[in-house]
């Protein structure tokens, strides 16, 4: 342990600015589409040694310049998650980064909420992140290095808008999980942060319909949607050396939506 007054050059990897993730291995969930795909694209440009993508949908990521492993399964399936993450570790010998991004936002009003659809939202959005984090954690701890980014939502702070009421609950749960694991991981070099996106132009947002898209864009100080790439840039920041003193934080990438 360094002295508290020592400013460490840090338990960081050597990283060049052109390839800030040189030699690292990242896992991104929900990487077939939207934000997750944009994260995979940026990571691939950053010199990763390996990129592992989990998605329940088929992934076509053949255009990415990365050593790629894909797992097509549900993040709510704890056994599938742990088997896949072991395989990723066996293949690359390390896991540096985990981005818990897979999520669903079904449009279900309170009057149509059932135990089953409530549970499904929590299983994917919150428990999926738990399963992936638990499976990657010991590999990070063993190397005393890890960066975990949980994709939450403004819904954690405002409550769900179009989406199922469990959506906001699951995203608020991710913020609490982020804080708990930041405390747990600090002594082992594992930094855990969250991002609260606002309105991002992805298939998920399209599913809310054209009127809702305009409404959400208007519900930010910047009066527009963000591109998936703008969101991915924030993920890149949280896994890069530039954020080496940040843990347990939530980065609000929502155009000031909480100030309206
Ligand atoms: P998207 O629908 O384009 O992408 C989500 C991806 O997750 C898809 O590829 C989907 O197949 C995958 N996925 C869904 N369920 C899965 C499961 N059970 N197991 C594995 N993969 C699964 O949506 P997006 O907008 O890119 O959303 C990414 C994340 O960002 C989500 O967690 C979402 O809640 C969050 N978010 C999005 C917005 C937005 O405006 N788009 C705003 C706030 C938060």
């Amino acid at each position: 342990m360094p002295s508290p007054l020592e400013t460490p050059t840090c338990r960081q990897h050597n990283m060049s600015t052109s390839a800030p993730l040189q030699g690292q291995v990242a896992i991104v969930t929900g990487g077939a589409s939207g934000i997750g795909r944009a994260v995979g694209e940026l990571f691939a440009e950053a010199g990763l040694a390996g990129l592992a993508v989990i998605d329940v949908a088929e992934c076509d990521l053949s255009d990415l310049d990365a050593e790629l492993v894909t797992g097509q399964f549900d993040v709510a399936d704890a056994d599938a998650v742990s088997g896949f993450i072991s395989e990723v570790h066996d293949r690359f010998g390390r896991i540096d980064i985990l981005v818990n991004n897979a999520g669903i936002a079904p449009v279900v009003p309170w009057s149509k909420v059932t135990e089953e659809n409530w549970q499904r939202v929590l299983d994917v959005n919150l428990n999926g992140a738990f399963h992936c984090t638990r499976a990657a954690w010991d590999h990070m701890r063993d190397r005393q290095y890890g960066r975990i980014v949980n994709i939450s939502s403004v819904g954690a702070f405002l409550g769900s808008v179009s989406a199922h009421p469990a959506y906001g609950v699951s995203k608020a749960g991710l913020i609490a999980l982020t804080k708990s694991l930041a405390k747990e991981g600090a002594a082992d070099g594992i930094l855990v942060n969250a991002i609260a996106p606002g309105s991002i132009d992805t298939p998920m947002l399209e599913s809310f319909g054209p009127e809702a898209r305009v409404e959400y864009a208007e519900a930010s100080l910047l009066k527009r949607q963000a591109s998936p790439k703008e969101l991915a840039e924030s993920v890149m920041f949280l896994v890069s050396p530039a954020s080496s003193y940040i843990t347990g934080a939530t980065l609000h990438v929502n155009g000031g939506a909480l100030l309206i």
Side-chain angles (χ1 to χ4, degrees), residues 124-137:
V124 175
N125 294 2
L126 181 57
N127 297 344
F130 160 65
H131 298 317
C132 293
T133 303
R134 192 173 54 161
W137 190 268

Side-chain angles (χ1 to χ4, degrees), residues 69-136:
V69 191
T70 54
Q72 189 178 353
F73 56 84
D74 183 345
V75 283
D77 180 342
D79 291 339
V81 166
S82 103
F84 179 77
I85 291 184
S86 287
E87 278 172 32
V88 170
H89 187 262
D90 288 348
R91 167 147 175 201
F92 296 109
R94 59 195 281 175
I95 294 170
D96 302 273
I97 296 167
L98 169 65
V99 182
N100 286 311
N101 164 76
I104 53 172
V107 179
V108 178
W110 174 240
S111 59
K112 298 273 183 333
V113 168
T114 61
E115 274 188 45
E116 195 182 23
N117 61 33
W118 173 273
Q119 189 61 48
R120 179 65 187 153
V121 173
L122 293 176
D123 277 346
V124 175
N125 294 2
L126 181 57
N127 297 344
F130 160 65
H131 298 317
C132 293
T133 303
R134 192 173 54 161

Side-chain angles (χ1 to χ4, degrees), residues 30 32-36 55-57 73-75 101-104 120 124 151-153 167 171 197-200 202-205:
S33 141
I35 292 167
D55 204 298
V56 77
F73 56 84
D74 183 345
V75 283
N101 164 76
I104 53 172
R120 179 65 187 153
V124 175
I151 306 300
S152 175
S153 169
Y167 181 78
K171 295 300 184 177
S199 178
I200 317 295
T202 70
M204 177 183 281
L205 206 73

Side-chain angles (χ1 to χ4, degrees), residues 32-250:
S33 141
I35 292 167
R37 190 177 213 292
V39 169
E41 286 167 6
L42 267 196
F43 279 8
E45 288 165 15
L48 280 180
L51 173 63
V53 171
I54 297 171
D55 204 298
V56 77
E58 201 174 327
C59 295
D60 180 9
L61 302 171
S62 50
D63 54 321
L64 301 192
D65 183 15
E67 275 299 315
L68 189 66
V69 191
T70 54
Q72 189 178 353
F73 56 84
D74 183 345
V75 283
D77 180 342
D79 291 339
V81 166
S82 103
F84 179 77
I85 291 184
S86 287
E87 278 172 32
V88 170
H89 187 262
D90 288 348
R91 167 147 175 201
F92 296 109
R94 59 195 281 175
I95 294 170
D96 302 273
I97 296 167
L98 169 65
V99 182
N100 286 311
N101 164 76
I104 53 172
V107 179
V108 178
W110 174 240
S111 59
K112 298 273 183 333
V113 168
T114 61
E115 274 188 45
E116 195 182 23
N117 61 33
W118 173 273
Q119 189 61 48
R120 179 65 187 153
V121 173
L122 293 176
D123 277 346
V124 175
N125 294 2
L126 181 57
N127 297 344
F130 160 65
H131 298 317
C132 293
T133 303
R134 192 173 54 161
W137 190 268
D138 287 355
H139 300 304
M140 293 179 171
R141 193 200 51 212
D142 290 349
R143 292 185 56 251
Q144 296 284 289
Y145 184 90
R147 297 286 181 270
I148 299 175
V149 180
N150 294 321
I151 306 300
S152 175
S153 169
V154 286
F157 302 90
L158 298 174
S160 307
V161 188
S162 292
H164 193 296
Y167 181 78
V169 173
S170 67
K171 295 300 184 177
L174 276 180
I175 303 279
L177 180 68
T178 298
K179 292 177 180 175
S180 300
L181 294 180
K183 292 177 185 176
E184 189 66 36
D188 291 317
I190 305 173
L191 307 188
V192 189
N193 291 292
I195 292 179
S199 178
I200 317 295
D201 187 11
T202 70
M204 177 183 281
L205 206 73
E206 270 171 42
S207 71
F208 295 149
E211 280 172 23
R213 286 177 73 186
V214 173
E215 191 190 318
Y216 296 161
E218 289 289 322
S220 72
L221 293 179
L222 300 184
K223 305 292 175 207
R224 68 172 178 86
Q225 292 186 311
S227 69
K229 181 156 191 264
E230 285 179 284
L231 203 285
E233 294 281 8
S234 309
V235 176
M236 180 60 102
F237 168 67
L238 287 176
V239 302
S240 78
S243 64
S244 54
Y245 200 52
I246 301 177
T247 195
T250 299

